[in-house]
Amino acid sequence: MVKNPKPKTTKPAGGGDDAQVAEIKYPRRTERRKRTRAKILKVAAKQFSEGGYGPTTMQSIADEADIHVTTLFMHFNSKSDLALSIVTTAADELRERAANARGEVGFFDYFRREVRTLVAALKSSAQPGLMFWNTQRGDNELAFAWTAFEREQRNIYAEFIAAEYGVDRANDYRPDLIVSLVLSSIILAHKRWSRAPGKLSLKAEVDACLEIAETAARNMLSPGVAE
């Protein structure tokens, strides 16, 4: 008697599908993996900020995160991959906040809210992506990560302005010019404060500089300016 072969079950192809199947099949394992990844990002951002990108090693990150270095490499292929993941996560979170704010508040109110969070993070080092911000700007080895984040940040803000004021970025420079203006105001204020942090208030410096930048930006957006 000839036996009929059992039909083969088709497995989903590609890492993305496999990950989705694993997430459905092993929810607790997936949640544990997410927690581990988040912890690694936080530790890496802390070490990059405190010791610099160059001196920080994957082993030192694994040690502080209380995991084996092999586990670290299961999440991130290299130190540069880890650095880019920090800024990619920060950019994704920024994009989500901007999307939620559009239609609910104006860009300048939203931007001030972002700045307040940034100021708090720079003082307390509470959030990995924002904690990483100041180090990226000053570390030449992290220029690649800063460039990637800055590009996304500028695009997210410019799209917000263009949507709110009905401006076509392809034919109008104003959204991108305004983003450069308001971001520069934060950098200038932070530089002044960093020269005398004991005498100056970071919040006061940022508020003062941003007030000037916002006034100029609103004038740029006045009807007839681009005509």
Side-chain angles (χ1 to χ4, degrees), residues 66-227:
D66 196 25
I67 58 174
H68 196 280
V69 71
T70 304
T71 303
L72 175 55
F73 278 106
M74 288 175 62
H75 288 269
F76 302 99
N77 296 325
S78 63
K79 189 166 67 169
S80 61
D81 180 34
L82 181 49
L84 284 172
S85 294
I86 293 172
V87 296
T88 298
T89 299
D92 288 343
E93 291 171 351
L94 175 62
R95 188 178 298 104
E96 183 177 358
R97 292 194 302 272
N100 291 336
R102 279 167 62 167
E104 298 295 328
V105 297
F107 170 75
F108 295 106
D109 288 337
Y110 158 77
F111 186 75
R112 283 185 176 276
R113 188 167 65 196
E114 286 290 313
V115 169
R116 285 195 295 270
T117 302
L118 175 61
V119 168
L122 288 174
K123 293 174 69 176
S124 67
S125 298
Q127 297 183 33
L130 295 177
M131 178 172 64
F132 200 36
W133 181 86
N134 197 39
T135 305
Q136 291 176 57
R137 293 198 57 81
D139 193 326
N140 291 332
E141 291 184 279
L142 281 172
F144 69 96
W146 168 250
T147 300
F149 177 74
E150 185 180 48
R151 182 172 55 249
E152 287 300 310
Q153 181 189 48
R154 288 176 178 272
N155 186 60
I156 292 166
Y157 289 158
E159 284 297 322
F160 196 134
I161 295 169
E164 180 180 352
Y165 289 90
V167 175
D168 180 7
R169 285 180 68 195
N171 300 307
D172 196 320
Y173 289 117
R174 287 180 296 170
D176 294 274
L177 286 172
I178 288 168
V179 170
S180 295
L181 177 63
V182 295
L183 288 177
S184 295
S185 71
I186 307 306
I187 295 168
L188 286 171
H190 183 267
K191 282 183 177 180
R192 176 179 288 187
W193 169 80
S194 64
R195 289 195 292 266
K199 296 180 179 180
L200 300 175
S201 162
L202 177 58
K203 181 180 182 303
E205 292 301 313
V206 168
D207 286 346
C209 200
L210 185 56
E211 186 69 31
I212 298 170
E214 183 178 331
T215 299
R218 288 187 181 278
N219 287 334
M220 290 170 64
L221 290 165
S222 297
V225 170
E227 296 176 1

Side-chain angles (χ1 to χ4, degrees), residues 56-72:
T56 299
T57 66
M58 295 291 271
Q59 184 65 61
S60 68
I61 293 170
D63 289 344
E64 186 171 344
D66 196 25
I67 58 174
H68 196 280
V69 71
T70 304
T71 303
L72 175 55

